């Protein structure tokens, strides 16, 4: 390997050079070993410098190389560049001794990569493959680790090349992508939106609206509708420019902003609304065709069945165009747009061509008298401003037609804002122009009779009278012409009437075609995300454009079903409300994302405001109720039902939604606010630091503590990772993610917090002091009983006991759980254990290829390792707290007042469903001559605490000497190996041994605490007598004065006290009250 000669080529501070080492290394070194300075680069498996096009490296700027580096169109002059495609959508540019190039960045050799857009792509990026930048470990770790050849998380091991098959597959996939049809902002968004907004309303209802509401209020109606759509368009533009947009339209925008709950509910009803909209538009087209057939007496059967026949044939034709591909569909839309534009131009030209024959029908050309007469409203037949607005507003919808095919746009971030907003402006101006022209040219009522002219005997004052016609008879009703009476008045006005009919056909068919394309695209995106299990079959795409053919067929079936009904007056308001609900949530998404103040919310479209978006959302909801109040209620109920369903299912997705960002903000705000609140006994909650290690290793401990902390207090699973050499922090982070996922999967509401330390005590000290945030800090340490303590070194026992002392020093309560079979199941084969030991649920053989581990494993689910009887019993015991506990008792031996924690924990347990059938029995110490008095006093205290109990037992013989049973004999045998026996040695020798082994039990200590020792033995006898059948024993933890009682003696007390019993929970609070009877 060659070191660059600095004097040979002038270099600059920010110069980046490519070293063609394959050509030069041999010449300069003559096959000798590499120069000493190159050790930092040996063994390097990948240097990522830019995106390389398999079909040719292209320009230097395309791949992030300096402009002075040139490449041939097909090959590179040097063989030093190698493209690794991993088959996962990731690409590595790799190097080795003989096939590499290095970048000289800022004046020195480095494998550090310069900024590149391809590092920031998602795995499934549509615009190029994701590149993997050198990891921090590869740049920062010791050189021997980098050179060790460990496999990367994604990609090939050091020095390995992809196989020919892998390279061919990557190239084929790239070429297949190259043929995709994409649309620009005009063809993809502007045309579609205009065709959807210019509906049949423009030709057959606009004149009627002007007749009812007048020119002034009609313009107000158009402006109000345009205001709603403009605000929604601005919100859509903001979301669409806040990152790369994939297919799915409104569903994609809402789900990635507000999360799967809102996105999943809106996505389903939005797709359904588009499918039914196909039927609405096709039936509108069929009705027009049937009317024309009826005029020439050419009906096939009757009107209703003819609508069905024409509608069915039409939707089949539209399906054929859609299935033919987006390119054919786009061509059809262009043809329809040309016809529609021709019809609009034809109408405006007709307004200037006054014909005397049209005057009896109300058309006189532009006239100020007609304009002034039509300026004000003239509501008839119980119509009002809001009813007319409800009829017009659906004409303004359709602004998401372009966004719905976002996956087929060349640049959705640019196309959606430009196309959508421009379409709103153009169509809004068109509607206003039509309102002004019809209001200025046509009177409200006309008879159509040439003989209805003004005579001297008639006293009329309306605009028609000034033009020589008397239409006063229309006030009695029955007239067929004029703005209010003739829906086809625009055909009358136009220069060529049949072109208006063609425009109506174009408007209906283009809207139907757009809906027929939008519904499958949205539904396909929804199914790909697997929000609703069982719909995955519709996620499959076909062809170079990934066309959702199955979705097309489903949409066709839904549309055909509603076409055959041929009566859409009931479903139409619901469909309009479905679209409005989507608009409302898009506006709310922008408000929510802005309110959350997430650093990830950075839309390049700046012309939005969170309060305007909120107002837009409110306006959409108001319009929903204005259009149809019962349809609005139905829509909201459907959205709510789907939201609850998706929330209950909890789909495993993470899109970085604003809901997560706002949740973080609220959690942070509340945590900070809590720090200013003083603790109060009524608000005490057991917040437990549970020393589980890996939670999978001691599931019984995790499940029991979760039973009384769930929805009540904090639970943190602490794990001390003891290390003798350098800690592996990368493995620590991976284990953290795995353990947190396991807790989530088991529905345990807890945090997993690991630390590296040299022993249990020091690690626990760190956790006790540092775990938590503000008031959300543990106040109780929960440990598992050290079952195998007598088999290990007593130094470990000393650490264990001193850990308890440390907790008391820090004013923590202490809880110790003992199960007779133990807690740790990590040694049992087949268990899920993290941390590099086992992570498979069944015995598997790991395949090894070429010295590196493969992801493939040879597993046989039928082969099970036989478990010993003890391990099987331990495994069964570890799951006992997951199950519902049957009828039984929780025996509370509240011997010493620790502030009430010993009583609070069993009370919290009985509030849970699993322990709901258990009753609390309380055992207290007392005197023989005061048993009744002590029972009444305790009953009074418990009733004031409002804690239910089934029985109170006063133990009057608690201080009597233990019987000469096996327990006492066992205690003597237990302490024998740990006694100091200072009487049998010199004093200096005894002191030296005590200093070396402080846990040893001196004869003086044993004699001094004989009464306390006897109490533990006696308590064990009483426990066996009274509580041997209890579901759980909760007992006051005996205290040992620090520095006075040795660790061995204290451990022997705990062992003796809890031996041969049902599950025992030894509890000692910090002697601060956690219960109160004051309100």
């Amino acid at each position: 390997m060659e070191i660059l000669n600095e004097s040979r080529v002038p270099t600059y501070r920010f110069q980046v050079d490519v070293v063609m080492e394959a050509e030069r290394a041999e010449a300069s070194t003559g096959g000798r070993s590499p120069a000493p300075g190159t050790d930092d680069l040996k063994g390097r498996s990948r240097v990522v410098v830019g995106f390389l096009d398999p079909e040719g490296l292209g320009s230097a700027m395309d791949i992030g190389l300096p402009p002075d580096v040139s490449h041939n169109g097909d090959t590179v002059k040097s063989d030093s560049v190698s493209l690794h495609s991993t088959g996962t959508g990731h690409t590595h540019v790799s190097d080795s001794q003989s096939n590499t190039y290095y970048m000289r960045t800022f004046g020195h050799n480095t494998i550090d990569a310069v900024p590149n857009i391809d590092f920031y792509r998602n795995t499934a990026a549509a615009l190029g493959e994701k590149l993997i930048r050198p990891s921090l470990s590869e740049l920062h770790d010791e050189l021997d680790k980098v050179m060790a050849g460990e496999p990367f998380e994604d990609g090939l091991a050091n020095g390995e090349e992809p196989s020919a098959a892998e390279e061919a597959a990557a190239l084929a996939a790239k070429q297949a992508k190259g043929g995709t049809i994409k649309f620009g902002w005009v063809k993809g968004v502007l045309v579609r939106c205009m065709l959807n907004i210019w509906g049949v309303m423009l030709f057959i209802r606009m004149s009627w609206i002007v007749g009812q509401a007048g020119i002034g209020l009609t313009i107000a109606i158009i402006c109000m509708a345009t205001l709603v759509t403009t605000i929604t368009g601005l919100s859509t533009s903001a979301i669409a420019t806040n990152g790369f947009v994939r297919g799915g339209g409104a569903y994609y925008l809402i789900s990635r902003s507000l999360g799967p709950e809102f996105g999943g509910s809106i996505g389903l009803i939005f797709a359904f609304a588009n499918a039914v909209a196909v039927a609405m538009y096709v039936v509108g087209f069929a009705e027009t065709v049937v009317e024309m057939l009826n005029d020439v007496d050419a009906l096939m059967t009757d009107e209703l069945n003819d609508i069905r026949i024409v509608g069915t044939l039409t939707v089949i034709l539209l399906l054929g165009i859609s299935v033919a591909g987006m390119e054919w569909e786009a061509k059809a839309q262009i043809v329809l747009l040309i016809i529609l534009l021709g019809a609009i131009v034809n109408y405006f030209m007709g307004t200037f061509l006054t014909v005397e024959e049209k005057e009896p029908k109300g058309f006189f050309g532009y006239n100020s008298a007609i304009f002034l007469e039509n300026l004000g409203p003239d509501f008839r037949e119980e119509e009002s401003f809001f009813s007319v607005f409800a009829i017009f507003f659906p004409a303004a919808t359709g602004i998401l037609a372009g966004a719905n095919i976002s996956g087929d746009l060349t640049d959705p971030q640019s196309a959606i804002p430009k196309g959508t907003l421009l379409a709103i402006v153009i169509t809004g101006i068109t509607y206003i122009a039509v309102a002004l022209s019809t209001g200025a040219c046509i009177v409200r009522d006309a008879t159509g009779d040439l003989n209805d002219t003004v005579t001297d005997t008639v006293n009329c004052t309306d605009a028609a009278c000034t033009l020589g016609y008397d239409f006063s008879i229309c006030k009695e009703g029955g007239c067929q012409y004029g703005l209010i009476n003739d829906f086809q008045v625009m055909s009358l006005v136009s220069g060529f009437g049949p072109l208006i009919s063609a425009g109506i056909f174009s408007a209906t068919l283009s809207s139907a075609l757009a809906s027929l394309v939008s519904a499958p695209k949205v539904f396909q995106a929804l199914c790909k995300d697997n929000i609703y299990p069982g719909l995955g079959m519709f996620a499959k795409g076909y062809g170079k454009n990934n066309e959702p053919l199955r979705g097309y067929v489903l949409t066709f079936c839904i549309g055909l079903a509603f076409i055959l009904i041929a009566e859409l007056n009931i479903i139409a308001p619901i469909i309009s409300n479905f679209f409005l609900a989507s608009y409302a949530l898009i506006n709310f998404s922008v408000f929510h994302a802005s309110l959350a103040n997430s650093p990830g919310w950075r839309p390049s479209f700046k012309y939005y405001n969170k309060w305007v978006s909120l107002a837009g959302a409110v306006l959409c909801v108001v319009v929903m109720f204005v259009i149809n109040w019962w349809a609005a209620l139905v829509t909201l109920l459907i959205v709510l039902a789907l939201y609850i369903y998706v929330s209950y299912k909890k789909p495993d997705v993470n899109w970085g939604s604003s809901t997560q960002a706002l949740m973080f903000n609220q959690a942070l705000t509340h945590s900070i606010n809590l720090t200013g609140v003083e603790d109060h006994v009524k608000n005490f909650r057991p917040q437990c630091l549970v020393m589980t290690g890996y939670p999978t290793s001691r599931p019984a401990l995790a499940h029991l503590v979760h039973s009384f902390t769930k929805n009540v207090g904090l639970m943190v699973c602490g794990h001390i990772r003891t290390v003798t050499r350098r800690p592996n922090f990368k493995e620590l982070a991976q284990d953290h993610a795995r353990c947190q996922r396991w807790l989530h999967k088991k529905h345990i509401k807890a945090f997993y917090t690991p630390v590296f330390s040299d022993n249990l005590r020091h690690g626990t000290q760190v956790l006790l002091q540092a775990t938590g945030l503000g008031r959300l800090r543990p106040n109780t340490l929960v440990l598992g009983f050290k079952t195998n303590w007598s088999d290990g070194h007593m130094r470990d026992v000393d650490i264990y006991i001193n850990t308890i002392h440390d907790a008391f020093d820090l004013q923590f309560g202490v809880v110790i759980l003992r199960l007779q079979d133990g807690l740790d199941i990590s040694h049992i084969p087949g268990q899920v254990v993290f941390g590099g030991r086992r992570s498979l649920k069944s015995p598997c053989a790991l395949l090894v290829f070429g010295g590196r581990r493969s992801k493939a494993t040879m597993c046989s689910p039928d082969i099970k390792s036989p478990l010993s009887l003890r391990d099987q019993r331990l495994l069964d015991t570890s799951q006992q707290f997951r199950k519902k506990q049957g009828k039984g008792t929780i025996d509370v031996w509240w011997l010493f007042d620790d502030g009430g924690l010993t009583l609070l924990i069993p009370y919290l347990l009985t509030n849970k469903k699993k322990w709901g059938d258990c009753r609390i029995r309380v055992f207290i110490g007392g005197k023989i001559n005061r048993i009744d008095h002590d029972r009444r006093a305790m009953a009074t205290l418990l009733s004031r605490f409002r804690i239910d109990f089934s029985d109170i037992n006063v133990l009057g013989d608690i201080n009597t000497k233990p019987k000469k049973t096996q327990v006492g004999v066992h205690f003597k045998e237990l302490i024998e190996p740990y006694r100091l026996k200072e009487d049998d040695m010199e004093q200096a020798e005894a002191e030296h041994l005590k200093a070396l082994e402080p846990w040893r039990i001196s004869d003086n200590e044993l004699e001094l605490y004989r009464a306390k020792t006897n109490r533990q033995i006696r308590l064990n006898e009483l426990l066996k007598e009274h509580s041997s059948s209890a579901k759980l024993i909760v007992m006051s933890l005996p205290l040992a004065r620090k520095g006075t009682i040795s660790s061995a003696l204290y451990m022997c007390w705990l062992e003796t006290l809890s031996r041969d019993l049902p599950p025992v929970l030894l509890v000692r609070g910090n002697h601060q009250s956690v219960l109160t009877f004051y309100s």
Side-chain angles (χ1 to χ4, degrees):
M1 188 179 293
E2 179 185 3
I3 297 298
L4 292 176
N5 189 339
E6 298 285 354
S7 63
R8 187 169 52 189
V9 180
T11 58
Y12 302 95
R13 185 180 177 190
F14 296 103
Q15 178 177 340
V16 182
D17 293 336
V18 175
V19 182
M20 302 301 184
E21 73 175 310
E23 294 180 359
R24 292 197 221 153
E26 233 179 284
S28 62
T29 63
R32 297 189 303 272
S33 60
T38 62
D39 286 345
D40 188 38
L41 303 174
K42 283 174 67 177
R44 172 71 186 160
S45 74
R46 60 184 177 190
V47 178
V48 186
V49 295
F51 175 70
L52 301 179
D53 186 354
E55 307 218 0
L57 293 177
S59 69
M61 295 308 291
D62 288 341
I63 64 171
L65 295 179
D68 60 330
V69 180
S70 61
H71 301 285
N72 185 284
D74 297 314
T75 60
V76 187
K77 186 175 181 181
S78 167
D79 63 349
S80 60
V81 180
S82 172
L83 175 66
H84 286 189
S85 180
T86 67
T88 61
H90 298 174
T91 300
H92 304 300
V93 183
S94 303
D95 68 324
S96 63
Q97 287 273 128
S98 61
N99 188 12
T100 185
Y101 68 83
Y102 294 110
M103 299 186 65
R104 178 182 299 185
T105 309
F106 313 136
H108 63 277
N109 283 350
T110 178
I111 58 177
D112 215 345
V114 296
N116 190 315
I117 188 174
D118 294 318
F119 293 141
Y120 297 90
R121 298 193 191 281
N122 287 336
T123 303
L127 301 180
E129 289 189 273
K130 176 181 174 64
L131 298 186
I132 305 296
R133 70 174 62 82
S135 69
L136 187 61
S137 299
E138 292 169 313
L139 297 172
H140 176 260
D141 284 357
E142 294 88 343
L143 194 59
D144 57 346
K145 284 189 178 182
V146 178
M147 297 172 62
E150 296 178 0
F152 294 108
E153 291 178 21
D154 299 292
L156 303 169
N158 291 351
E160 295 195 25
E161 299 292 330
S163 66
E166 288 174 333
E167 288 186 333
L171 187 59
K174 191 71 182 173
Q175 288 173 343
K177 286 182 181 178
T180 304
I181 303 298
K182 297 289 184 181
F183 302 111
W185 71 274
V186 175
K187 200 172 180 181
V189 182
L190 179 64
V191 170
R192 293 174 186 278
C193 288
M194 287 196 303
L195 282 171
N196 262 261
I197 299 172
W198 280 334
V200 290
M201 192 71 66
L202 181 65
F203 297 104
I204 63 176
R205 285 292 185 274
M206 200 66 225
S207 57
W208 178 86
I209 292 172
V210 173
Q212 291 279 354
I215 297 172
L217 290 183
T218 299
I219 293 175
I221 287 171
I222 295 171
C223 290
M224 283 178 60
T226 305
L227 177 65
V228 174
T229 55
T230 301
I231 294 174
T232 306
L234 293 173
S235 299
T236 303
S237 301
I239 299 175
T241 58
N242 189 51
F244 182 72
V245 179
R246 293 197 179 89
Y251 160 71
Y252 185 88
L253 298 177
I254 294 172
S255 62
R256 268 51 177 184
S257 295
L258 290 178
E261 294 84 5
F262 279 114
S265 55
I266 281 297
L268 196 60
I269 68 169
F270 190 74
F272 178 76
N274 274 285
V276 178
V278 174
M280 290 176 58
Y281 295 127
V282 169
V283 167
F285 168 78
E287 285 178 348
T288 308
V289 172
V290 170
E291 282 180 14
M292 294 174 65
L293 292 174
N294 193 26
D295 290 340
V296 296
D297 197 21
L299 290 177
M300 291 173 279
T301 56
D302 55 72
E303 286 192 13
L304 186 60
N305 285 320
D306 278 14
I307 290 173
R308 290 169 177 162
I309 293 169
V310 174
T312 301
L313 294 174
T314 305
V315 79
I316 291 173
L317 174 64
L318 295 177
L319 177 66
I321 295 173
S322 302
V323 171
M326 290 296 295
E327 192 173 7
W328 282 95
E329 187 267 347
K331 290 177 181 177
Q333 294 279 28
I334 294 295
V335 173
L336 294 172
L337 177 64
I338 292 172
I339 296 172
L340 191 57
L341 288 173
I344 294 172
V345 171
N346 174 47
Y347 160 73
F348 281 112
M349 289 178 61
T351 60
F352 293 99
L353 304 174
T354 57
V355 180
E356 190 174 340
E357 297 172 357
K358 297 180 181 179
E359 289 181 354
K361 296 181 180 180
F363 173 59
F364 295 94
Y366 291 100
N367 187 283
S368 59
I370 297 175
F371 179 84
L372 292 172
E373 184 178 82
N374 290 335
L375 193 60
D378 183 14
F379 293 112
R380 303 179 189 176
E381 298 177 358
E382 299 182 357
E383 297 293 348
S384 65
F385 175 81
F386 289 108
S387 67
V388 173
F389 175 80
I391 290 170
F392 171 77
F393 187 82
T397 60
I399 60 172
L400 295 181
N404 286 339
I405 62 161
S406 53
D408 296 298
L409 300 176
T410 304
D411 184 7
Q413 289 181 284
S414 172
I416 292 174
K418 286 194 293 187
T420 304
L421 294 175
L422 187 57
I424 292 171
V425 171
I426 293 173
T427 54
I429 292 172
T430 305
Y431 275 117
I432 291 174
V434 170
L436 288 171
S437 63
T438 53
C441 295
I442 310 164
V443 295
R444 281 192 168 99
D445 300 290
T447 60
D449 190 347
L450 284 168
N451 298 320
D452 287 338
T453 56
V454 176
T455 63
D456 295 335
T457 58
V458 176
N459 182 21
C460 72
T461 58
D462 55 24
C465 294
T466 63
L467 298 170
Y469 283 87
D470 179 16
F471 298 141
S472 56
I473 193 173
C474 292
K475 294 179 181 179
E476 301 174 7
C479 290
Q480 297 180 359
Y481 297 98
L483 291 175
I484 290 181
N485 304 309
D486 186 8
F487 288 154
Q488 301 291 337
V489 73
M490 287 185 70
S491 297
L492 171 70
V493 174
S494 65
F496 182 62
L499 194 53
I500 296 295
S501 298
I504 294 172
F505 294 161
S506 174
T508 53
L509 292 179
S510 63
S511 298
L513 191 56
S515 297
L516 186 57
V517 171
S518 297
K521 295 282 186 182
V522 173
F523 194 57
Q524 182 187 34
L526 179 67
C527 296
K528 277 183 178 178
D529 290 333
N530 199 28
I531 301 296
Y532 299 100
L535 299 180
M537 62 178 293
F538 294 102
K540 183 174 176 58
Y542 297 87
K544 58 188 178 183
N545 258 45
N546 196 32
E547 296 290 347
L549 297 186
R550 296 176 180 177
Y552 283 134
V553 174
L554 179 64
T555 304
F556 168 78
C557 294
I558 294 172
L560 185 60
F562 282 97
I563 288 170
L564 294 177
I565 294 172
E567 284 291 339
L568 299 174
N569 291 337
I570 295 178
I571 198 70
I574 298 179
I575 300 307
S576 297
N577 276 285
F578 280 1
F579 286 120
L580 279 166
S582 304
Y583 298 169
L585 279 181
I586 287 175
N587 286 309
F588 183 72
S589 298
V590 173
F591 168 74
H592 200 267
S594 303
L595 188 68
N597 199 26
S598 171
W601 175 248
R602 302 186 304 274
S604 56
F605 183 86
K606 302 298 183 184
Y607 303 102
Y608 73 94
N609 180 277
K610 65 180 178 181
W611 300 112
V612 172
S613 295
L614 179 62
V618 173
L619 273 174
C620 288
V621 176
V622 170
V623 171
M624 286 171 65
F625 282 92
V626 167
I627 290 177
N628 192 304
W629 66 268
W630 64 262
L633 286 177
V634 170
T635 302
L636 294 178
L637 287 174
I638 292 174
V639 172
L640 180 62
L642 292 172
Y643 179 90
I644 293 171
Y645 172 80
V646 178
S647 300
Y648 175 74
K649 285 294 183 181
K650 290 185 173 62
D652 187 18
V653 294
N654 183 11
W655 295 324
S657 66
S658 60
T659 305
Q660 297 171 345
L662 192 62
M663 194 185 303
F664 177 87
N665 268 8
Q666 290 172 341
L668 186 61
T669 301
H670 292 321
S671 297
I672 292 173
N673 290 341
L674 272 175
T675 58
V677 178
E678 292 293 329
D679 287 331
H680 193 282
V681 62
K682 287 195 294 184
N683 292 325
F684 175 85
R685 298 163 183 265
Q687 305 196 129
C688 299
L689 173 61
V690 192
M691 305 307 293
T692 58
Y694 290 111
T696 53
S697 300
R698 296 170 180 82
L701 186 59
H703 286 300
L704 180 63
V705 176
H706 180 246
S707 295
F708 63 81
T709 58
K710 179 183 178 182
N711 299 329
V712 174
L714 176 71
M715 176 178 171
V716 179
C717 293
H719 184 190
I720 313 302
R721 299 280 299 273
T722 54
V723 289
T724 55
R725 296 188 300 170
R726 291 171 297 185
N728 188 336
F729 290 105
K730 184 176 181 180
E731 181 184 303
L732 187 74
Q734 292 171 346
D735 285 346
H736 183 279
R738 293 192 196 104
C739 291
Q740 200 64 55
R741 281 197 300 271
W742 183 88
L743 290 169
H744 181 73
K745 183 180 178 182
K746 299 297 182 182
H747 306 291
I748 297 176
K749 297 181 178 181
F751 301 95
Y752 171 72
T753 305
V755 293
F756 280 118
S757 184
D758 54 350
N759 62 46
L760 172 70
R761 183 183 183 186
H762 293 159
T764 307
Q765 287 175 343
V766 171
L767 290 176
L768 289 171
Q769 295 176 80
T771 301
L773 189 68
R775 296 286 180 193
L776 298 176
R777 300 176 62 85
N779 53 32
T780 305
L781 175 66
V782 183
L783 299 166
F785 186 81
K786 196 170 180 63
T787 305
N788 60 344
W789 66 274
S790 57
D791 298 332
H793 198 285
M794 283 304 294
R795 188 183 299 111
D796 295 332
V797 174
D798 196 45
I799 289 173
Y800 180 80
I801 298 301
N802 280 314
T803 300
I804 298 174
H805 290 315
D806 292 338
F808 287 135
D809 287 343
L810 291 168
Q811 294 299 299
F812 274 66
V814 174
V815 177
I816 300 175
L817 173 64
R818 179 171 189 182
L819 303 182
Q820 296 308 310
D821 295 312
L823 293 168
D824 191 355
I825 63 169
S826 60
H827 64 281
I828 300 178
Q831 300 308 303
V832 180
V833 181
F834 305 127
R837 287 179 282 173
R838 280 188 305 280
S839 60
L840 302 172
K841 290 189 176 181
S842 60
C844 297
L846 197 63
L847 299 184
V848 179
F849 294 105
R852 67 185 178 98
R853 289 193 283 181
S854 168
K855 292 181 180 178
T857 54
M858 297 176 61
C859 298
S860 174
D862 299 328
I863 300 175
K864 293 183 179 179
S865 301
L867 297 179
S868 66
L869 188 62
R870 182 181 181 280
D871 283 348
Q872 186 60 54
R873 192 169 62 246
L874 174 59
L875 197 59
D876 294 340
T877 303
S878 69
Q879 303 299 317
Q880 67 176 328
F881 297 128
R882 287 191 65 186
K883 301 176 291 187
K884 181 175 174 59
Q885 308 297 311
K887 289 186 177 181
T889 62
I890 298 177
D891 288 357
V892 182
W893 292 64
W894 196 16
L895 304 178
F896 306 102
D897 194 334
D898 59 348
L901 185 63
T902 308
L903 192 60
L904 180 62
I905 288 177
Y907 165 75
L908 294 175
L909 280 174
T910 55
N911 279 347
K912 304 301 179 183
K913 188 176 180 181
K914 289 179 183 176
W915 294 84
D917 293 336
C918 294
R919 295 291 174 262
I920 294 176
R921 290 196 307 174
V922 179
F923 293 81
I924 58 173
K927 295 181 179 179
I928 292 288
N929 57 350
R930 296 188 56 182
I931 288 179
D932 289 339
H933 176 270
D934 292 342
R935 182 182 290 113
R936 286 195 299 271
M938 179 54 63
T940 302
L941 181 61
L942 293 177
S943 64
R944 288 194 175 185
F945 284 151
R946 303 170 302 285
I947 294 178
D948 294 331
F949 59 92
S950 62
D951 193 15
I952 296 176
N953 292 278
V954 180
L955 304 171
D957 54 349
I958 194 171
N959 288 321
T960 59
K961 287 189 65 175
K963 303 171 185 176
K964 293 183 178 180
T965 59
Q966 194 67 28
V967 180
V969 175
H970 177 265
F971 180 81
K972 290 181 180 179
E973 295 174 353
L974 192 63
I975 64 171
E976 189 62 30
Y978 313 117
R979 294 184 60 182
L980 181 63
K981 298 182 179 178
E982 64 269 28
D983 293 342
D984 297 340
M985 61 182 75
E986 296 292 331
Q987 182 178 354
E989 184 183 356
E991 290 176 354
H992 178 68
L993 182 60
K994 182 68 174 175
L996 289 177
E997 299 176 347
W999 41 264
R1000 287 198 174 272
I1001 307 170
S1002 65
D1003 294 341
N1004 181 51
E1005 176 189 358
L1006 195 60
E1007 183 62 32
L1008 186 62
Y1009 294 104
R1010 183 175 298 279
K1012 201 165 186 178
T1013 298
N1014 288 336
R1015 185 188 301 149
Q1016 312 312 319
I1017 298 173
R1018 177 59 182 156
L1019 282 173
N1020 182 260
E1021 294 172 352
L1022 292 171
L1023 284 164
K1024 289 178 180 177
E1025 179 182 344
H1026 295 282
S1027 298
S1028 58
S1029 60
K1031 295 289 184 182
L1032 178 69
I1033 299 172
V1034 181
M1035 188 170 194
S1036 296
L1037 172 71
L1039 281 181
R1041 189 174 297 279
K1042 186 172 61 172
T1044 304
I1045 298 176
S1046 62
S1047 299
L1049 180 59
Y1050 189 36
M1051 197 71 216
C1052 290
W1053 284 352
L1054 299 181
E1055 170 71 29
T1056 302
L1057 176 65
S1058 59
R1059 183 181 175 84
D1060 298 329
L1061 291 170
V1064 178
L1065 206 61
L1066 300 173
V1067 181
R1068 176 67 72 154
N1070 64 357
H1071 287 246
Q1072 299 293 319
S1073 294
V1074 300
L1075 295 172
T1076 181
F1077 43 78
Y1078 294 107
S1079 60

